[in-house]
Amino acid sequence: MKSLLLKRIVLLISICYITDAISQQDPHYTQYMLNTMSVNPAYVGSKGHTVITALGRTQWVGFEGAPDTQNLSYDTSIGYSRLGIGINLVNDKLGPSHETYLDGNVSYTVQTGDEGNLAFGLKLGGRLLNVDWSLGRSRDNDQIFDPANNIVNKFLPTVGAGIYYHEPQWYIGLSVPNFLRQEHYDATNTVEETAVERLHYFLIAGYVFDLNENIKFKPAALAKLVFGAPLSIDVSANFLFNEKFRVGAAWRWDDSVAVLAGFQASDSLHIGYAFDLTTSNYNVANSGTHEVLLRYEIFKQARMKSPRFF
């Protein structure tokens, strides 16, 4: 009975997650401030060297069919041309749905003043959507949805854009990951819903305070606006000690709180971890969310004495 109840809950959340009811369709990350290309294509190449980032997120541990996401990205600058390119690969599962994203990103940066840089970014790519409604059957073979309506490798193109401004101590950016409004489901299926992708607007900002020669403090924020859905706001604060150890906390409005930690294992390798504790009604059915991040940087020359904290 408990298994059937959990399956029904997961299926309901899955449908709401990708239909007009909620429309918060894109995966989100607690360590977005270390995986910025996934939010804004104009960020690519902004570090001036090659960055490879791998992130794994297991959400709502103990909740069967909960979101499970992996993200692998690569971005680099191209010589002195002020161009940046990046590739982003995402594997995202939620209940009966499974989506694979592959996007290419390109940016062009214009220098403004002595220290300012304004970048314009474009994202082109696509997704493969699969939905297996047979996952809605309980052990008693109670058919919740008809597997005859399964979706197999439905291609959904992606066209997005963003702008990103940064100086040595702060940054701000605005982006729309996908301008295309497409239906995920046919209105004729038994779900009797048509999931239409809506425009997502992402606003990011952050500032780095040098508290002393050994401690940096970086507050950051991300706001996601989807018309027809509640405003999503993430606020975080990280401390960097001796350019080696990072600790912090984050809060997502009406959803969760999180602790963050990171370790600069070498000049190139950074290891990050975040643990989210749900504060919404779903906290009765799960024991939190784990997120692990690995970031490897390939420098074109000797590393700067004081690297940028974003």
Side-chain angles (χ1 to χ4, degrees):
M1 186 67 179
K2 182 178 179 181
S3 174
L4 175 59
L5 178 60
L6 283 177
K7 286 178 181 290
R8 289 183 183 275
I9 292 173
V10 169
L11 284 168
L12 177 61
I13 293 173
S14 302
I15 295 169
C16 290
Y17 193 83
I18 49 181
T19 60
D20 288 357
I22 296 179
S23 298
Q24 299 285 6
Q25 295 146 336
D26 290 343
H28 59 250
Y29 310 101
T30 300
Q31 298 176 93
Y32 61 87
M33 72 294 295
L34 300 172
N35 190 31
T36 312
M37 187 180 72
S38 66
V39 178
N40 192 326
Y43 180 83
V44 300
S46 66
K47 276 184 165 289
H49 54 260
T50 299
V51 182
I52 301 171
T53 305
L55 183 149
R57 179 180 176 86
T58 301
Q59 193 165 326
W60 304 342
V61 173
F63 198 120
E64 185 178 0
D68 189 25
T69 306
Q70 298 81 43
N71 186 347
L72 179 63
S73 65
Y74 168 94
D75 83 272
T76 188
S77 58
I78 302 178
Y80 298 97
S81 64
R82 293 195 166 271
L83 285 173
I85 59 172
I87 299 174
N88 197 41
L89 175 64
V90 178
N91 180 56
D92 187 43
K93 296 181 180 179
L94 171 61
S97 70
H98 179 196
E99 281 191 281
T100 303
Y101 304 61
L102 179 60
D103 298 307
N105 302 267
V106 62
S107 71
Y108 181 77
T109 300
V110 177
Q111 187 170 1
T112 59
D114 294 334
E115 297 184 320
N117 292 277
L118 178 63
F120 303 88
L122 177 66
K123 177 170 76 171
L124 297 174
R127 312 176 186 186
L128 290 179
L129 171 67
N130 290 272
V131 179
D132 183 2
W133 293 117
S134 67
L135 298 178
R137 294 185 179 187
S138 71
R139 295 176 182 175
D140 299 325
N141 203 36
D142 177 19
Q143 187 172 321
I144 300 175
F145 291 103
D146 186 355
N149 294 306
N150 286 355
I151 298 173
V152 180
N153 290 333
K154 181 173 183 179
F155 179 73
L156 301 167
T158 301
V159 178
I163 56 175
Y164 178 74
Y165 180 83
H166 66 92
E167 294 192 8
Q169 296 296 116
W170 64 278
Y171 65 89
I172 187 169
L174 177 66
S175 63
V176 177
N178 193 8
F179 288 104
L180 303 180
R181 294 168 55 88
Q182 298 162 333
E183 295 182 358
H184 278 217
Y185 302 102
D186 295 326
T188 57
N189 71 21
T190 56
V191 179
E192 297 180 354
E193 280 281 2
T194 301
V196 180
E197 292 198 38
R198 296 185 176 183
L199 293 183
H200 290 58
Y201 298 87
F202 288 89
L203 176 65
I204 57 173
Y207 196 100
V208 178
F209 296 91
D210 293 315
L211 301 184
N212 58 46
E213 62 180 11
N214 297 317
I215 303 176
K216 297 179 185 291
F217 172 57
K218 176 189 170 183
L222 179 152
K224 185 195 319 186
L225 174 64
V226 184
F227 291 105
L231 178 67
S232 175
I233 298 177
D234 288 63
V235 179
S236 64
N238 280 277
F239 291 88
L240 180 64
F241 299 93
N242 296 317
E243 297 179 2
K244 282 285 187 181
F245 304 97
R246 176 178 56 84
V247 295
W251 169 75
R252 183 173 296 118
W253 184 21
D254 199 29
D255 183 77
S256 63
V257 293
V259 293
L260 303 94
F263 173 62
Q264 196 70 37
S266 68
D267 282 349
S268 295
L269 179 62
H270 180 83
I271 302 171
Y273 172 76
F275 175 75
D276 296 25
L277 187 62
T278 308
T279 57
S280 65
N281 292 335
Y282 299 135
N283 65 348
V284 297
N286 75 91
S287 55
T289 296
H290 300 275
E291 188 177 284
V292 177
L293 177 142
L294 299 176
R295 187 177 68 189
Y296 190 80
E297 303 182 58
I298 302 173
F299 301 99
K300 296 179 180 179
Q301 54 189 6
R303 188 178 182 184
M304 295 165 50
K305 182 179 179 181
S306 182
R308 222 176 63 201
F309 194 14
F310 58 87

